[in-house]
Amino acid sequence: MLDLTRRGLVGAIGLGAVTFPGVGLAAAQPFFARTGLPIGLQLYTLADQAKADLEGTLRAVAAIGFKTIELAGYQGRTPAQLRAAMDAVGLSTPSAHVQVQAQGGESSLDGDLSRLADEAHILGVKRIVMPIFYTPARFDLKPRAGEAFGQVLGRIGGAMTADDWSFNADFLNAKGAVLAKSGLRLAYHNHNPEFRLLADGKPGARTGYEILLARTDPTLVEFEMDAGWVAAAGQDPFALLKAHPGRFTAMHVKDIKATTKPNFVFVQDPTEVGSGMIDWTRLLPAAYAAGVRDFFVEQEPPFAHSRLESVGVSYGYLAGLRA
């Protein structure tokens, strides 16, 4: 079992400065001030209140200090309305999660990509993110008795085969090629089912995630690492960065408690960034050295505080973090 404590994560890669230039060295300035990168927020964290009061939520987010947000749906607004609300408080959205399979009337990756591209340009989005795997048609998304939707996805992810993951990789390549013609980049965001060992996996591709990385075209498909879900799967985010330099361009800065038991079914014990088991003083510089340039705070429920208070705690930690 991988030791996911701060000490264990550091030990897993040895001295960070050896693997990634500058990692582990004392920093004169906080990481984000030194790199000149903004601290972003994945709006999913505040989704309910954003849908109820978009303008007020964005004002609060900007007042905390965030400069960028990553969208997860349009919060019941049009792209033009969203853009106006962001512009009013000085926020931008370089990245957006877009539903994979059409539902609810919003654009999707399996729908009209020209419409999606037009909306992205209105919003100022440069990167479209596939937020979860494409669910094969043979699976029923209807929850069984007592199942939450996350449990449904965990069950389906656990039953997916190497062929299913290959289909997802080919889907990413095809959509990435189309979006590239409109000046947009496509990325894949992980949860933790991707890291389950496959009974039918072939040598060199033992997990769904390995298949996605191996089978996608680096010129067409990027990856957004959700560090919290990587750790929840019992995996080492440092090893992923080291093994695939240049493939990761964005990161969800998500922390989890040490009580999280490694699993592949959408389970974690979440907490504010800096309050959990991930060593951000090592991971942020390692991610930067490997090519990550967009960092978005994200937290899963349940929350110990209000959601807005929690993202404020995470922002304060990151703004002062010397790494």
Side-chain angles (χ1 to χ4, degrees), residues 5 8 24 29 48 50 58 72 74 85 91 98 102 105 118 178 186 198 220 242 253 277:
T5 61
Q29 290 182 293
D48 290 342
L58 294 182
Y74 294 163
L91 290 170
V98 173
D118 289 343
V178 175
L186 179 63
L198 298 172
L220 298 175
K242 180 181 178 182
V253 183
M277 64 198 297

Side-chain angles (χ1 to χ4, degrees), residues 99-212:
Q99 60 187 359
V100 184
Q101 293 156 284
Q103 57 180 324
E106 287 192 5
S107 292
S108 64
L109 283 170
D110 70 346
D112 183 351
L113 294 188
S114 62
R115 172 191 167 190
L116 176 59
D118 289 343
E119 294 171 347
H121 293 317
I122 291 170
L123 290 162
V125 166
K126 305 298 182 186
R127 179 193 300 108
I128 299 295
V129 182
M130 181 170 162
I132 196 168
F133 48 83
Y134 192 107
T135 303
R138 71 179 184 278
F139 291 110
D140 184 0
L141 285 171
K142 183 179 179 180
R144 295 173 180 172
E147 271 189 333
F149 191 63
Q151 293 172 307
V152 176
L153 292 175
R155 171 168 51 81
I156 291 173
M160 287 175 60
T161 66
D163 285 343
D164 293 327
W165 291 111
S166 293
F167 170 85
N168 270 266
D170 295 343
F171 179 86
L172 283 161
N173 285 331
K175 303 306 178 181
V178 175
L179 291 171
K181 294 176 182 177
S182 296
L184 296 169
R185 308 194 307 276
L186 179 63
Y188 182 84
H189 165 271
N190 68 276
H191 289 83
N192 60 355
E194 291 91 336
F195 299 97
R196 179 185 63 90
L197 289 176
L198 298 172
D200 63 339
K202 298 177 176 60
R206 299 169 60 230
T207 70
Y209 206 61
E210 289 174 340
I211 291 173
L212 294 178

Side-chain angles (χ1 to χ4, degrees), residues 268-291:
Q268 62 174 248
D269 295 333
T271 190
E272 291 77 21
V273 179
S275 302
M277 64 198 297
I278 296 179
D279 186 354
W280 298 104
T281 62
R282 297 274 179 169
L283 187 55
L284 292 181
Y288 183 86

Side-chain angles (χ1 to χ4, degrees), residues 4 6 9-10 13 16 20 22-24 31-32 34 225-231 235-242 248 250-255 273 277-292 295 317-318 321-323:
L4 287 174
R6 292 175 185 269
L9 281 174
V10 173
I13 62 166
F20 299 101
V23 178
F31 172 80
F32 285 98
R34 176 168 57 82
M225 178 187 289
D226 189 310
W229 282 120
V230 170
Q235 301 299 304
D236 181 356
F238 296 95
L240 275 177
L241 291 167
K242 180 181 178 182
F248 296 95
M251 174 174 282
H252 278 186
V253 183
K254 178 184 293 177
D255 219 338
V273 179
M277 64 198 297
I278 296 179
D279 186 354
W280 298 104
T281 62
R282 297 274 179 169
L283 187 55
L284 292 181
Y288 183 86
V292 176
F295 295 86
Y317 170 79
L318 291 170
L321 181 65
R322 298 180 184 276

